[in-house]
Amino acid sequence: MIQCVVQPMLYLAVWVAFAACNAPPVPLDDIVVEKTFVPEQCGRAVKVGDYVRYHYIGTFPDGKKFDSSYDRGSTYNVFVGKKQLIAGMDKALVGMCVNERSLVKVPPQLAYGKGGYGDTIPPDSTLHFDVLLLDVWNPEDQVQSTTYLAPPICDRKVEVSDYVRYHYNGTLHTRLRTYDTYVGIGWLIAGMDQGLLGMCVGERRIITMPPSLGYGENGDGSDIPGQASLVFDVVLLDLHNPRDSIAVSNQLVPEPCVRKTATGDFVRYHYNGSLLDGTFFDSSYSRNHTYDTYVGKGYVIAGMDEGLLGVCMGERLTITIPPHLAYGEEGTGSKIPGSAVLVFDVHIIDFHNPTDTTVMTVIHKPEVCEKMTKNGDFVKYHYNASLMDGSHIDSTHNYGKTYNVVLGANQVVPGMEEGLKEMCVGEKRHLVIPPHLGYGERGVTDEVPGSAVLVFDVELIEVEEGLPEGYMFIWNDNVSPDLFTEMDVDLNKQVEPSEFTDYIMRQVTEGHGRLAPGFDPYRIIDNMFSNQDRDGDGKITESEFKLKADEAPHDEL
């Protein structure tokens, strides 16, 4: 009995379960949106009236695909809320963000209804769409610029007709060069023309523009589809205007400044060279050698030629040079790009003019000055030597002895020779010697740079009066009428070199004669002997000696 009751009830349960499994799905009253990916940031959500570009895959509930934008290789582009879409999609797109992905289920009454769509979509079909939103804009949109990195100092901002060099999305890694163009005169798409205005060098900015200010309905034919809003991540590297001249800043002018550079001067200076964004390209310091050039003569780029005029020794300054006064549109190749503004931090080491003479300043002069130096005098002096920037070169005080020279004998540089003349013992002078009167273009290895102006502080310690010009030996007393016999000690009628040398040295020792001071006495005597030895046989005969005596007055005898 019990079995009879239980068994019909079991059959009934199985039948109900079977019927439930094969029942048609419950119709949807509205769309169902399942967000499968939501970006971390949503700068903008779709609103009614916006224009969107999106990809989609359309399927029936059983998974069968009926359409796909991917298969056509093109996004679906349409205004939202303008009845250009089925009602369900029009509704589903509102509120979506760019890069958001959603699975949208649309009931038939919000899709193609009872009529379906040709042979593709049967009547009363529920449709599923896998949607990826790529773009959204509105016809009323304008350029939007958002600065996310501003330089601490902005001396200048982009204006209409300025020429700029900038990187944007990917150019740094793909074209390996900046995008260079004029701004505000139609060389760019309108949105970029607007978005770059007001930027500072070093600024980073996101520039967003609708297609009406980008590439419009047709795109650019390759990378940019039609009706695409564009986003550029821009960093401004350079900025100038064709009307720009050089700009001089950060001047540190020494006091006093007794002289400024003029056209035709030769200048030695150090510099660090960089681009406007701070990118280093060259430095004289790295070569441990100044840059040496004439100014105002076209030996350097026009902007540097101009910037180096009117500066003082020791001055520091920054010279900013627009490309039309530097390396122009071509640049220099690897280091300086085309149309680059250059920035030079300059330190003027020294300068001179080829017409300069030694500048002498008397620091101290004794009250009593019995005689002043002249050519031929043997002078002993102390000095401290330096360059115009104060760099030490040398000092006699380091050696504990004077420097000794014969004036007029080319034993020192011409500028020093000039500076030591007409000087009193105990006098102190400050000498500034241009390189053509110093060590010239070559300088002295590891001591004096080429083309360097020299500074000497000199003190005259002692002077030994020289001989008359052209003489290396003179008699203090009357000349003996029997010179030859006095020299010919062995009475062999000829004077040997040793006899000649001993005789002259004895006359000097006894005060009867004088040799020119500051020279090797034995070399002087050898020269005197050679002048008497007419036939060059190594001895002087009485006939040779007499012949010499009969000539016009000469150096020695």
Side-chain angles (χ1 to χ4, degrees), residues 387-444:
L387 303 179
M388 285 299 293
D389 65 349
S391 299
H392 177 75
I393 298 176
D394 195 14
S395 174
T396 55
H397 298 284
N398 294 340
Y399 312 112
K401 60 181 181 179
T402 57
Y403 197 79
N404 309 329
V405 299
V406 176
L407 292 183
N410 298 321
Q411 294 179 354
V412 289
V413 296
M416 177 63 79
E417 192 127 58
E418 182 181 347
L420 290 172
K421 289 179 182 178
E422 299 182 354
M423 195 172 183
C424 304
V425 172
E427 185 174 340
K428 297 179 180 179
R429 290 180 177 179
H430 180 78
L431 307 178
V432 179
I433 302 175
H436 50 275
L437 298 177
Y439 292 104
E441 295 182 1
R442 294 188 176 183
V444 178

Coordinates of all heavy atoms in Angstrom, one line a residue, residues 387-444:
L387 N 98.6 83.5 -13.9 CA 97.7 83.8 -15.0 C 96.8 84.9 -14.6 O 96.7 85.2 -13.4 CB 97.0 82.5 -15.5 CG 97.9 81.4 -15.9 CD1 97.0 80.2 -16.3 CD2 98.8 81.8 -17.1
M388 N 96.0 85.3 -15.6 CA 95.0 86.4 -15.3 C 93.9 86.0 -14.3 O 93.4 86.8 -13.6 CB 94.4 86.9 -16.5 CG 95.3 87.8 -17.4 SD 95.9 89.3 -16.5 CE 94.4 90.2 -16.4
D389 N 93.6 84.7 -14.3 CA 92.6 84.2 -13.3 C 93.2 83.9 -11.9 O 92.5 83.4 -11.1 CB 91.9 83.0 -13.9 CG 92.8 81.8 -14.0 OD1 94.1 81.9 -13.9 OD2 92.3 80.7 -14.3
G390 N 94.4 84.2 -11.7 CA 95.1 84.0 -10.4 C 95.8 82.7 -10.3 O 96.4 82.4 -9.3
S391 N 95.7 81.8 -11.3 CA 96.4 80.5 -11.2 C 97.9 80.7 -11.1 O 98.5 81.4 -12.0 CB 96.1 79.7 -12.5 OG 94.7 79.4 -12.6
H392 N 98.5 80.1 -10.1 CA 99.9 80.3 -9.9 C 100.7 79.5 -10.9 O 100.4 78.4 -11.3 CB 100.3 79.8 -8.5 CG 101.7 79.8 -8.2 ND1 102.4 81.0 -7.8 CD2 102.7 78.8 -8.1 CE1 103.7 80.7 -7.6 NE2 103.9 79.4 -7.8
I393 N 101.8 80.2 -11.4 CA 102.7 79.5 -12.3 C 104.0 79.2 -11.7 O 104.5 78.1 -11.7 CB 103.0 80.4 -13.6 CG1 101.6 80.7 -14.3 CG2 104.0 79.8 -14.5 CD1 101.8 81.7 -15.5
D394 N 104.7 80.2 -11.1 CA 106.0 80.0 -10.6 C 106.4 81.2 -9.7 O 105.8 82.3 -9.8 CB 107.0 79.8 -11.7 CG 108.4 79.2 -11.3 OD1 108.4 78.7 -10.1 OD2 109.3 79.3 -12.0
S395 N 107.5 81.0 -8.9 CA 108.0 82.0 -8.0 C 109.5 81.8 -7.7 O 109.8 80.6 -7.3 CB 107.2 82.2 -6.8 OG 107.8 83.1 -5.9
T396 N 110.3 82.8 -7.8 CA 111.7 82.6 -7.5 C 111.9 82.4 -6.0 O 112.8 81.8 -5.5 CB 112.5 83.8 -7.9 OG1 111.9 85.0 -7.3 CG2 112.6 84.0 -9.4
H397 N 110.9 82.9 -5.2 CA 111.0 82.7 -3.7 C 110.9 81.2 -3.4 O 111.4 80.8 -2.3 CB 109.9 83.4 -3.1 CG 109.9 84.9 -3.3 ND1 110.8 85.8 -2.6 CD2 109.2 85.8 -4.1 CE1 110.7 87.0 -3.0 NE2 109.7 87.0 -3.9
N398 N 110.4 80.4 -4.2 CA 110.3 79.0 -4.0 C 111.7 78.3 -4.0 O 111.9 77.3 -3.4 CB 109.4 78.2 -5.0 CG 108.0 78.6 -4.9 OD1 107.5 79.1 -3.8 ND2 107.2 78.4 -5.9
Y399 N 112.6 79.0 -4.7 CA 114.0 78.4 -4.9 C 115.0 79.1 -4.0 O 116.2 78.7 -4.0 CB 114.4 78.5 -6.4 CG 113.3 78.0 -7.3 CD1 112.7 78.9 -8.2 CD2 113.0 76.7 -7.4 CE1 111.7 78.5 -9.1 CE2 112.0 76.2 -8.2 CZ 111.3 77.1 -9.1 OH 110.4 76.7 -9.9
G400 N 114.6 80.2 -3.4 CA 115.5 80.9 -2.5 C 116.6 81.6 -3.2 O 117.7 81.8 -2.6
K401 N 116.4 82.0 -4.5 CA 117.4 82.7 -5.2 C 116.8 83.5 -6.3 O 115.6 83.3 -6.7 CB 118.5 81.7 -5.8 CG 117.9 80.8 -6.8 CD 118.9 79.8 -7.4 CE 118.4 78.9 -8.4 NZ 119.4 78.0 -9.0
T402 N 117.5 84.5 -6.8 CA 117.0 85.4 -7.8 C 117.1 84.8 -9.1 O 117.7 83.8 -9.4 CB 117.8 86.8 -7.8 OG1 119.2 86.5 -8.0 CG2 117.6 87.5 -6.5
Y403 N 116.3 85.5 -10.1 CA 116.4 85.1 -11.5 C 117.3 86.1 -12.1 O 117.1 87.3 -12.0 CB 115.1 85.1 -12.2 CG 115.0 84.4 -13.5 CD1 115.0 83.0 -13.5 CD2 115.1 85.1 -14.7 CE1 114.9 82.3 -14.7 CE2 115.1 84.4 -15.9 CZ 115.0 83.0 -15.9 OH 115.0 82.3 -17.1
N404 N 118.4 85.7 -12.9 CA 119.4 86.5 -13.4 C 119.5 86.5 -14.9 O 119.6 85.4 -15.5 CB 120.8 86.1 -12.8 CG 120.7 86.0 -11.3 OD1 120.0 86.6 -10.6 ND2 121.6 85.0 -10.8
V405 N 119.4 87.7 -15.5 CA 119.5 87.7 -17.0 C 120.2 89.0 -17.4 O 120.4 89.9 -16.6 CB 118.0 87.8 -17.6 CG1 117.2 86.6 -17.2 CG2 117.3 89.1 -17.1
V406 N 120.6 88.9 -18.7 CA 121.2 90.1 -19.3 C 120.1 90.8 -20.2 O 119.6 90.1 -21.0 CB 122.4 89.7 -20.2 CG1 123.0 91.0 -20.9 CG2 123.5 89.1 -19.3
L407 N 119.8 92.0 -19.9 CA 118.8 92.7 -20.7 C 119.3 92.9 -22.1 O 120.4 93.2 -22.4 CB 118.5 94.0 -20.0 CG 117.8 94.0 -18.7 CD1 117.5 95.4 -18.2 CD2 116.5 93.2 -18.7
G408 N 118.3 92.7 -23.0 CA 118.7 92.8 -24.4 C 119.3 91.6 -25.1 O 119.6 91.6 -26.3
A409 N 119.5 90.5 -24.3 CA 120.1 89.3 -24.8 C 119.1 88.2 -25.1 O 119.5 87.1 -25.3 CB 121.2 88.8 -23.9
N410 N 117.8 88.5 -25.1 CA 116.8 87.5 -25.4 C 116.8 86.3 -24.5 O 116.6 85.2 -24.9 CB 116.9 87.0 -26.9 CG 116.7 88.2 -27.9 OD1 115.8 89.0 -27.7 ND2 117.4 88.1 -28.9
Q411 N 117.2 86.6 -23.2 CA 117.2 85.5 -22.2 C 115.9 85.4 -21.5 O 115.7 84.4 -20.8 CB 118.3 85.8 -21.2 CG 119.7 85.8 -21.8 CD 120.8 86.1 -20.8 OE1 120.5 86.4 -19.7 NE2 122.1 85.9 -21.3
V412 N 114.9 86.3 -21.7 CA 113.6 86.2 -21.2 C 112.6 86.6 -22.3 O 113.0 87.1 -23.3 CB 113.4 87.1 -19.9 CG1 114.2 86.6 -18.7 CG2 113.8 88.6 -20.2
V413 N 111.3 86.4 -22.0 CA 110.3 86.7 -23.0 C 110.3 88.2 -23.2 O 110.7 89.0 -22.3 CB 108.9 86.3 -22.5 CG1 108.8 84.8 -22.5 CG2 108.5 86.9 -21.2
P414 N 110.0 88.7 -24.4 CA 110.1 90.1 -24.8 C 109.3 91.0 -23.8 O 109.8 92.1 -23.5 CB 109.5 90.2 -26.2 CG 109.7 88.9 -26.7 CD 109.5 87.9 -25.6
G415 N 108.2 90.6 -23.3 CA 107.4 91.4 -22.4 C 108.1 91.7 -21.1 O 108.0 92.8 -20.5
M416 N 108.8 90.6 -20.6 CA 109.6 90.8 -19.4 C 110.8 91.7 -19.6 O 111.1 92.5 -18.8 CB 110.0 89.4 -18.8 CG 110.9 89.5 -17.6 SD 110.0 90.2 -16.2 CE 109.0 88.8 -15.7
E417 N 111.4 91.5 -20.7 CA 112.6 92.4 -21.1 C 112.2 93.8 -21.1 O 112.8 94.7 -20.5 CB 113.1 92.0 -22.5 CG 114.4 92.6 -22.8 CD 115.4 91.5 -23.2 OE1 115.1 90.8 -24.2 OE2 116.5 91.4 -22.6
E418 N 111.0 94.1 -21.7 CA 110.5 95.5 -21.7 C 110.2 96.0 -20.3 O 110.5 97.1 -20.0 CB 109.3 95.5 -22.6 CG 108.7 96.9 -22.8 CD 107.4 96.9 -23.7 OE1 107.2 95.8 -24.3 OE2 106.7 97.9 -23.7
G419 N 109.6 95.1 -19.5 CA 109.2 95.5 -18.2 C 110.3 95.7 -17.2 O 110.1 96.4 -16.2
L420 N 111.5 95.2 -17.5 CA 112.6 95.3 -16.6 C 113.5 96.5 -16.9 O 114.4 96.8 -16.2 CB 113.5 94.1 -16.6 CG 112.9 92.8 -16.0 CD1 113.7 91.6 -16.3 CD2 112.7 93.0 -14.5
K421 N 113.2 97.2 -18.0 CA 114.1 98.3 -18.4 C 113.7 99.6 -17.6 O 112.6 99.8 -17.1 CB 113.9 98.6 -19.9 CG 114.5 97.5 -20.8 CD 114.3 97.8 -22.2 CE 114.9 96.8 -23.1 NZ 114.6 97.0 -24.6
E422 N 114.8 100.4 -17.4 CA 114.6 101.7 -16.7 C 114.1 101.5 -15.3 O 113.2 102.2 -14.8 CB 113.8 102.7 -17.5 CG 114.4 103.0 -18.8 CD 113.6 104.0 -19.6 OE1 112.4 104.4 -19.1 OE2 114.0 104.5 -20.7
M423 N 114.6 100.4 -14.6 CA 114.1 100.1 -13.3 C 115.2 100.3 -12.3 O 116.4 100.2 -12.6 CB 113.7 98.6 -13.3 CG 112.9 98.1 -12.2 SD 112.3 96.4 -12.4 CE 111.3 96.2 -10.9
C424 N 114.9 100.7 -11.1 CA 115.9 100.9 -10.0 C 116.0 99.7 -9.1 O 115.0 99.0 -8.9 CB 115.4 102.2 -9.2 SG 115.2 103.7 -10.2
V425 N 117.1 99.6 -8.5 CA 117.3 98.5 -7.5 C 116.3 98.8 -6.3 O 116.2 100.0 -5.9 CB 118.7 98.5 -7.0 CG1 118.8 97.5 -5.8 CG2 119.7 98.0 -8.1
G426 N 115.6 97.8 -5.9 CA 114.6 98.0 -4.9 C 113.2 98.3 -5.4 O 112.2 98.3 -4.6
E427 N 113.1 98.6 -6.7 CA 111.8 98.9 -7.3 C 110.9 97.7 -7.5 O 111.5 96.6 -7.7 CB 112.0 99.6 -8.6 CG 110.7 100.1 -9.3 CD 110.9 100.9 -10.5 OE1 112.1 101.4 -10.7 OE2 110.0 101.0 -11.3
K428 N 109.6 97.8 -7.3 CA 108.7 96.7 -7.5 C 107.7 97.1 -8.6 O 107.2 98.2 -8.6 CB 107.9 96.4 -6.2 CG 108.8 95.9 -5.1 CD 108.0 95.6 -3.8 CE 108.9 95.1 -2.7 NZ 108.2 94.9 -1.5
R429 N 107.4 96.2 -9.5 CA 106.5 96.4 -10.6 C 105.5 95.3 -10.8 O 105.8 94.1 -10.5 CB 107.3 96.6 -11.9 CG 108.0 97.9 -12.0 CD 108.8 98.1 -13.3 NE 109.5 99.3 -13.4 CZ 110.2 99.7 -14.5 NH1 110.3 98.9 -15.5 NH2 110.8 100.9 -14.5
H430 N 104.4 95.7 -11.3 CA 103.3 94.7 -11.7 C 103.3 94.7 -13.2 O 102.9 95.7 -13.8 CB 102.0 95.1 -11.0 CG 100.8 94.1 -11.4 ND1 100.7 92.9 -10.7 CD2 99.8 94.2 -12.3 CE1 99.6 92.3 -11.2 NE2 99.1 93.1 -12.2
L431 N 103.5 93.6 -13.8 CA 103.6 93.5 -15.3 C 102.5 92.6 -15.8 O 102.3 91.4 -15.3 CB 105.0 92.9 -15.7 CG 106.2 93.6 -15.2 CD1 107.4 92.9 -15.7 CD2 106.2 95.1 -15.6
V432 N 101.8 93.0 -16.8 CA 100.8 92.2 -17.5 C 101.3 92.1 -19.0 O 101.4 93.1 -19.7 CB 99.4 92.8 -17.5 CG1 98.4 91.9 -18.3 CG2 98.9 93.0 -16.1
I433 N 101.6 90.8 -19.3 CA 102.3 90.6 -20.6 C 101.4 89.8 -21.5 O 101.0 88.6 -21.2 CB 103.6 89.8 -20.4 CG1 104.5 90.6 -19.4 CG2 104.3 89.5 -21.7 CD1 105.7 89.9 -19.0
P434 N 101.0 90.3 -22.7 CA 100.2 89.6 -23.7 C 101.0 88.4 -24.2 O 102.2 88.4 -24.2 CB 99.9 90.6 -24.7 CG 101.0 91.6 -24.7 CD 101.4 91.6 -23.2
P435 N 100.3 87.4 -24.7 CA 101.0 86.1 -25.1 C 102.0 86.3 -26.3 O 103.0 85.7 -26.3 CB 99.8 85.2 -25.6 CG 98.7 86.1 -25.8 CD 98.8 87.2 -24.8
H436 N 101.7 87.3 -27.2 CA 102.7 87.5 -28.3 C 104.0 88.1 -27.8 O 105.0 88.2 -28.5 CB 102.1 88.3 -29.4 CG 101.5 89.6 -29.0 ND1 100.2 89.7 -28.5 CD2 101.9 90.9 -28.9 CE1 99.9 90.9 -28.2 NE2 100.9 91.7 -28.4
L437 N 104.0 88.6 -26.5 CA 105.2 89.1 -25.9 C 105.6 88.2 -24.7 O 106.5 88.5 -23.9 CB 105.0 90.5 -25.4 CG 104.8 91.6 -26.5 CD1 104.5 92.9 -25.8 CD2 105.9 91.6 -27.5
G438 N 104.8 87.0 -24.6 CA 105.1 86.0 -23.6 C 105.5 84.7 -24.2 O 106.5 84.6 -24.9
Y439 N 104.7 83.7 -24.0 CA 105.1 82.3 -24.5 C 104.2 81.9 -25.7 O 104.2 80.8 -26.1 CB 104.9 81.3 -23.4 CG 106.0 81.5 -22.3 CD1 105.6 82.1 -21.1 CD2 107.3 81.1 -22.5 CE1 106.5 82.3 -20.1 CE2 108.2 81.3 -21.5 CZ 107.9 81.9 -20.3 OH 108.8 82.1 -19.3
G440 N 103.5 82.9 -26.3 CA 102.8 82.7 -27.6 C 101.7 81.6 -27.6 O 101.2 81.3 -26.5
E441 N 101.4 81.1 -28.7 CA 100.3 80.2 -28.9 C 100.6 78.8 -28.3 O 99.7 78.1 -27.9 CB 100.0 80.0 -30.4 CG 99.5 81.2 -31.1 CD 99.1 81.0 -32.5 OE1 99.3 79.8 -33.0 OE2 98.7 82.0 -33.2
R442 N 101.9 78.5 -28.2 CA 102.2 77.1 -27.7 C 102.3 77.1 -26.1 O 102.1 76.0 -25.5 CB 103.5 76.6 -28.3 CG 103.4 76.4 -29.8 CD 104.7 75.8 -30.3 NE 104.6 75.5 -31.7 CZ 105.5 74.8 -32.4 NH1 106.6 74.5 -31.8 NH2 105.3 74.6 -33.7
G443 N 102.6 78.2 -25.5 CA 102.8 78.2 -24.1 C 104.0 77.4 -23.7 O 104.9 77.2 -24.4
V444 N 104.0 76.9 -22.4 CA 105.0 76.1 -21.9 C 104.3 74.8 -21.3 O 103.4 74.9 -20.5 CB 105.8 76.8 -20.7 CG1 106.9 75.8 -20.2 CG2 106.5 78.0 -21.2

